[in-house]
Amino acid sequence: AAAAPPMWAERLLLPCRARLRLLPPRRWRQGAAGAMRLQTPQFQALFTPGLRSVAELFEKKNYELRIAGGAVRDLLSGMTPQDIDFATTATPAEMKEMFTSAGVRLINNKGEKHGTITARLHEQNFEITTLRIDVVTDGRHAEVEFTTDWEKDAERRDLTVNSMFLGLDGMLYDFFNGYEDLKNKKIRFVGKASARIQEDYLRILRYFRFYGRIAEKPDDHEPATVEAIKENAKGLAGISGERIWVELKKILLGNHVNHLVRLLYELDVAQYIGLPLNGGLEELDRVTKNIQNLCPKPMTVLTSLFKVKDDVTNLDLRLKISKEEKNLGLFLVKHRQELTKAVGPEPLRPYQDFIMDSREANTNSKILELLKYQGEERLLKELQQWTVPSFPVSGHDLRKMGVSSGKEIGTALQQLREEWKKSGYHMDKEELLSCLKK
């Protein structure tokens, strides 16, 4: 007979009968977790052999282990989380001793001073962080001390929708009405907005990012939140460009981007995150309509705010964007008005000719982004299906015909390339070489 499953596994499987059900009413102290169990296919899919092994280790030691933050938010939204963070009452030292004794490999010890241990089981990494309290914050970093109080840990998190925990039995622990806010598509800071922002000024941009991801209406902010953002916007001046760019890119690809970018300007945030003081907000409105459902790159959307090349350069100085992103911005500023579709039967030809004439890398992908910027959806699809043709004639072909001078070969190749271009890149080698014989 098969061995009986361990006790923790039985408890994990008990609630799998229903998707979401409220438990019978019981008393909770104010602010304590609501009594609800989650059981969805997405939640059940988390229980890989690796997670079951981790859960069994924590069970044996009587350490509490719960899913934390964004993964809980995603699961409650019916989504499969991309990353799963865990929180525990065990200290880093206790986790290290437990995993080491069990022969579990530990990796990436950089997070240990912040309370995070990463264990690898069954080809899967598990990032587990001890419950913490922020003791000292400077607007960028925090000194923490460990705790076993789940509510204290939830209190230090940024937004209510990110402050929930989920037990491995499906029990939801929600101290700040995050689930209610999630259902109502409300984005609120945990506790007082100004206090949360001053702990880490990047939370201003995180607020915008999650608003664009979750909120239903474009302008449904709490007045106190908007005021707190305006009062603390200058704090973003001390945040690294790389951290700002990570958040800004996600804002640009979310919902309500026109409204949120305008709000960045209205609340004096824009000047501290590298955006031009006099950004092209009308152009942004036009471009965001063009790019709907076209999956643009963040830089394609952002370039609508730029009026001159210096705007791209200044953004790069502040945010340290990649070379590819900077080049795309410069390309779009330069060509968005002069490079447009042709009138007549071949509207795509100017873009194809530009690609064929260019000696720069990634020209094809830049032209695709330009077409998105311009809202040319049909031409975009055509270009995506177009394969860049190879010029069929080489210097070797000309030498076989008796052309020996390097200079003559170069001139002849250029002439033939022009003929090939006029033909719409359809002429083959024989047709082109016959042009030389005439």
Side-chain angles (χ1 to χ4, degrees):
M7 190 72 71
W8 66 266
E10 289 184 344
R11 284 204 293 274
L12 291 179
L13 297 172
L14 274 176
C16 294
R17 313 289 185 262
R19 289 176 62 84
L20 249 184
R21 63 186 180 86
L22 290 175
L23 294 179
R26 60 176 288 188
R27 292 185 180 276
W28 294 90
R29 63 189 172 85
Q30 186 164 355
M36 190 188 81
R37 286 190 192 274
L38 173 74
Q39 285 304 327
T40 62
Q42 293 88 352
F43 176 67
Q44 294 172 34
L46 301 182
F47 292 95
T48 59
L51 178 53
R52 292 183 182 278
S53 297
V54 168
E56 192 163 8
L57 287 172
F58 277 79
E59 173 76 15
K60 284 178 181 176
K61 291 287 188 178
N62 289 319
Y63 300 143
E64 291 180 88
L65 179 70
R66 297 174 188 170
I67 300 166
V72 181
R73 180 198 65 237
D74 290 346
L75 287 165
L76 290 171
S77 302
M79 297 160 51
T80 299
Q82 296 298 308
D83 299 299
I84 305 170
D85 294 324
F86 294 89
T88 182
T89 52
T91 65
E94 288 170 337
M95 284 193 279
K96 283 179 73 175
E97 194 279 329
M98 174 183 70
F99 284 126
T100 305
S101 297
V104 174
R105 181 183 163 207
L106 301 179
I107 60 174
N108 187 20
N109 59 7
K110 291 180 181 178
E112 190 176 332
K113 64 181 178 181
H114 304 294
T116 301
I117 297 292
T118 305
R120 185 163 180 81
L121 292 90
H122 296 275
E123 304 301 312
Q124 192 177 357
N125 293 346
F126 294 90
E127 199 168 276
I128 308 165
T129 302
T130 304
L131 298 180
R132 298 173 290 178
I133 301 171
D134 289 341
V135 181
V136 180
T137 60
D138 63 2
R140 291 183 297 171
H141 313 291
E143 289 182 23
V144 301
E145 68 178 32
F146 303 134
T147 181
T148 55
D149 188 327
W150 291 91
E151 185 171 355
K152 287 290 185 186
D153 186 276
E155 194 176 336
R156 62 178 288 279
R157 295 174 183 262
D158 54 3
L159 305 169
T160 60
V161 296
N162 294 336
S163 70
M164 298 175 280
F165 302 103
L166 194 62
L168 299 187
D169 59 355
M171 178 72 82
L172 179 67
Y173 297 87
D174 178 15
F175 299 97
F176 297 99
N177 298 315
Y179 184 48
E180 199 65 28
D181 286 341
L182 190 62
K183 286 191 294 184
N184 294 328
K185 301 187 183 300
K186 292 284 290 184
I187 300 300
R188 292 189 305 114
F189 284 99
V190 172
K192 194 176 179 183
S194 57
R196 294 290 81 74
I197 290 170
Q198 287 164 15
E199 289 165 355
D200 183 353
Y201 290 103
L202 190 69
R203 287 175 169 176
I204 290 174
L205 296 184
R206 282 177 61 81
Y207 172 85
F208 281 87
R209 191 236 292 190
F210 283 105
Y211 192 96
R213 180 171 173 176
I214 292 171
E216 206 160 44
K217 301 173 186 174
D219 191 7
D220 190 25
H221 310 276
E222 291 187 350
T225 298
V226 172
E227 189 61 33
I229 289 172
K230 186 166 187 175
E231 288 175 358
N232 290 282
K234 191 174 183 179
L236 281 163
I239 301 297
S240 74
E242 293 87 345
R243 292 182 74 206
I244 288 172
W245 185 223
V246 167
E247 295 297 329
L248 184 56
K249 283 191 283 190
K250 292 173 181 176
I251 293 168
L252 293 167
L253 297 184
N255 299 320
H256 317 308
V257 62
N258 309 55
H259 162 74
L260 293 174
V261 172
R262 282 182 181 276
L263 205 55
L264 289 175
Y265 278 91
E266 289 171 15
L267 302 181
D268 299 327
V269 173
Q271 61 180 309
Y272 299 112
I273 60 173
L275 301 186
L277 294 179
N278 186 26
L281 293 172
E282 289 183 5
E283 176 75 350
L284 172 72
D285 290 341
R286 190 184 70 80
V287 170
T288 49
K289 289 176 185 172
N290 288 345
I291 53 144
Q292 282 184 354
N293 305 316
L294 298 185
C295 301
K297 293 180 178 178
M299 199 66 195
T300 304
V301 184
L302 191 59
T303 300
S304 61
L305 293 175
F306 303 149
K307 297 177 180 177
V308 293
K309 287 185 176 182
D310 281 352
D311 290 339
V312 183
T313 305
N314 291 334
L315 180 88
D316 181 38
L317 289 172
R318 175 66 181 97
L319 302 188
K320 308 292 190 294
I321 61 178
S322 71
K323 184 178 179 181
E324 181 186 341
E325 289 163 338
K326 181 179 180 181
N327 287 341
L328 174 59
L330 292 170
F331 178 87
L332 292 173
V333 168
K334 182 178 180 180
H335 297 291
R336 60 189 167 187
Q337 291 180 324
E338 67 181 47
L339 181 53
T340 56
K341 65 182 176 183
V343 178
E346 295 183 282
L348 193 60
R349 271 298 293 278
Y351 302 100
Q352 293 170 319
D353 288 349
F354 190 95
I355 291 169
M356 297 304 296
D357 292 343
S358 175
R359 296 186 179 182
E360 292 182 22
N362 301 321
T363 300
N364 201 319
S365 66
K366 290 174 189 169
I367 292 291
L368 291 174
E369 291 305 306
L370 176 62
L371 288 169
K372 293 174 190 178
Y373 187 101
Q374 296 171 337
E376 300 290 355
E377 185 172 1
R378 185 175 64 82
L379 297 185
L380 175 67
K381 289 178 180 175
E382 283 185 36
L383 191 64
Q384 286 170 332
Q385 295 167 358
W386 181 63
T387 302
V388 179
S390 297
F391 182 53
V393 178
S394 68
H396 181 68
D397 296 318
L398 299 183
R399 287 190 192 92
K400 288 201 297 188
M401 292 181 64
V403 183
S404 56
S405 161
K407 186 176 181 180
E408 288 178 356
I409 288 174
T411 302
L413 285 174
Q414 187 57 40
Q415 290 173 347
L416 293 179
R417 185 174 278 276
E418 286 301 317
E419 290 297 322
W420 185 54
K421 185 176 179 179
K422 288 177 189 175
S423 76
Y425 312 104
H426 294 306
M427 291 178 73
D428 61 20
K429 183 192 290 190
E430 290 182 8
E431 290 171 321
L432 287 167
L433 291 177
S434 68
C435 293
L436 285 180
K437 297 174 184 176
K438 293 177 182 177

